[in-house]
Amino acid sequence: MGKRVALVLAGCGVFDGSEIHEASAALVHLSRGGAEVKIFAPNIEQRDVVNHLKGSPTEEKRNVLVESARLARGNIQDLAELKASEFDAVIFPGGFGVAKNLCSWAVDGKNCTVNEHVSSALQAFHSAKKPIGLCCISPVLAAKVFPGCEVTVGQDRNVDGRFPDAETASAIAELGCKHICKNVNESHVDKANKIVTTCAFMCKAPLHEIFDGIGTMVQEVLKLA
């Protein structure tokens, strides 16, 4: 029987929601791994709505759950309904929506607050010793909720211009966590906390390398489940 995995989204679109390629990659690898997946998102208003053609905010108001339903093909539930007891693992794709909607990292950095349902879900899976997979910017959620954990967002310096957000690693360290440097096609497993992370689009890399890195994260999550 396949593992039961909850996938948590933050909207639809890299600049104000979940990164679409990351969400899709996670779903493809979960499907290949024989997992049974259910998708969730918080029923809250987005922090902002970005015109992805112009890269600038608009005056629109959108709902994170409604927008996430686009990626879920309509088959999605309110994150408040997620019960860790019904799943073997949970995975969070990245995208600015994680830093804007699931927490306030985009505005407050390491001093951010985490959405109550996101925090509750993370703590429930952690308490039950069930694996948590995070990619791109979403490892900051673990860094904020689980001081002392190990995560990766790629490199801690901007190697060859490929890691423009390398300062995130320093902020993670300032939270009392250990940042592990990894390449885009790799993931890191914090065995003590059962947290698996990969950098995805935190690295400027070809899409297939990002896809492969997310694949290693999914595989490790399923092994731990």
Side-chain angles (χ1 to χ4, degrees), residues 100-143:
K100 293 179 176 182
N101 304 325
L102 302 192
C103 70
S104 63
W105 187 278
V107 175
D108 302 318
K110 69 180 189 298
N111 298 315
C112 73
T113 56
V114 179
N115 172 274
E116 61 176 319
H117 296 302
V118 173
S119 180
S120 294
L122 287 168
Q123 290 172 341
F125 278 88
H126 187 258
S127 296
K129 294 181 168 47
K130 294 179 178 182
I132 299 166
L134 308 118
C135 64
C136 193
I137 191 63
S138 64
V140 302
L141 296 173

Side-chain angles (χ1 to χ4, degrees), residues 19-75:
E19 210 297 318
I20 294 171
H21 298 294
E22 291 179 13
S24 179
L27 287 166
V28 170
H29 287 297
L30 285 166
S31 176
R32 183 169 287 152
E36 176 188 338
V37 181
K38 289 189 177 180
I39 304 175
F40 297 84
N43 186 10
I44 58 175
E45 187 176 292
Q46 291 184 188
R47 177 175 291 273
D48 61 17
V49 177
V50 174
N51 179 324
H52 280 61
L53 182 61
K54 296 181 179 179
S56 57
T58 72
E59 296 300 317
E60 287 184 65
K61 301 293 183 185
R62 297 191 184 185
N63 178 280
V64 174
L65 179 59
V66 173
E67 290 302 295
S68 298
R70 294 174 178 271
L71 281 170
R73 298 171 62 87
N75 189 8

Side-chain angles (χ1 to χ4, degrees), residues 40-224:
F40 297 84
N43 186 10
I44 58 175
E45 187 176 292
Q46 291 184 188
R47 177 175 291 273
D48 61 17
V49 177
V50 174
N51 179 324
H52 280 61
L53 182 61
K54 296 181 179 179
S56 57
T58 72
E59 296 300 317
E60 287 184 65
K61 301 293 183 185
R62 297 191 184 185
N63 178 280
V64 174
L65 179 59
V66 173
E67 290 302 295
S68 298
R70 294 174 178 271
L71 281 170
R73 298 171 62 87
N75 189 8
I76 194 168
Q77 293 173 257
D78 187 336
L79 182 59
E81 299 173 6
L82 173 58
K83 296 181 176 61
S85 59
E86 297 177 355
F87 295 91
D88 300 303
V90 64
I91 287 177
F92 289 76
F96 278 96
V98 171
K100 293 179 176 182
N101 304 325
L102 302 192
C103 70
S104 63
W105 187 278
V107 175
D108 302 318
K110 69 180 189 298
N111 298 315
C112 73
T113 56
V114 179
N115 172 274
E116 61 176 319
H117 296 302
V118 173
S119 180
S120 294
L122 287 168
Q123 290 172 341
F125 278 88
H126 187 258
S127 296
K129 294 181 168 47
K130 294 179 178 182
I132 299 166
L134 308 118
C135 64
C136 193
I137 191 63
S138 64
V140 302
L141 296 173
K144 189 67 181 181
V145 176
F146 308 119
C149 72
E150 299 177 356
V151 299
T152 188
V153 289
Q155 299 292 322
D156 56 10
R157 57 191 179 88
N158 191 7
V159 182
D160 298 327
R162 298 173 75 227
F163 294 89
D165 301 305
E167 70 276 2
T168 304
S170 299
I172 286 169
E174 289 174 16
L175 285 171
C177 298
K178 186 174 183 179
H179 180 266
I180 309 297
C181 291
K182 290 286 183 178
N183 292 322
V184 66
N185 59 347
E186 301 176 313
S187 57
H188 176 69
V189 181
D190 177 348
K191 294 181 180 178
N193 290 294
K194 290 193 171 183
I195 296 171
V196 188
T197 50
T198 189
C199 69
F201 277 101
M202 293 293 277
C203 176
K204 290 185 176 181
L207 183 58
H208 71 277
E209 293 184 12
I210 292 164
F211 181 89
D212 291 345
I214 292 172
T216 68
M217 181 267 288
V218 170
Q219 289 166 16
E220 294 295 340
V221 166
L222 294 178
K223 283 181 190 176
L224 291 172

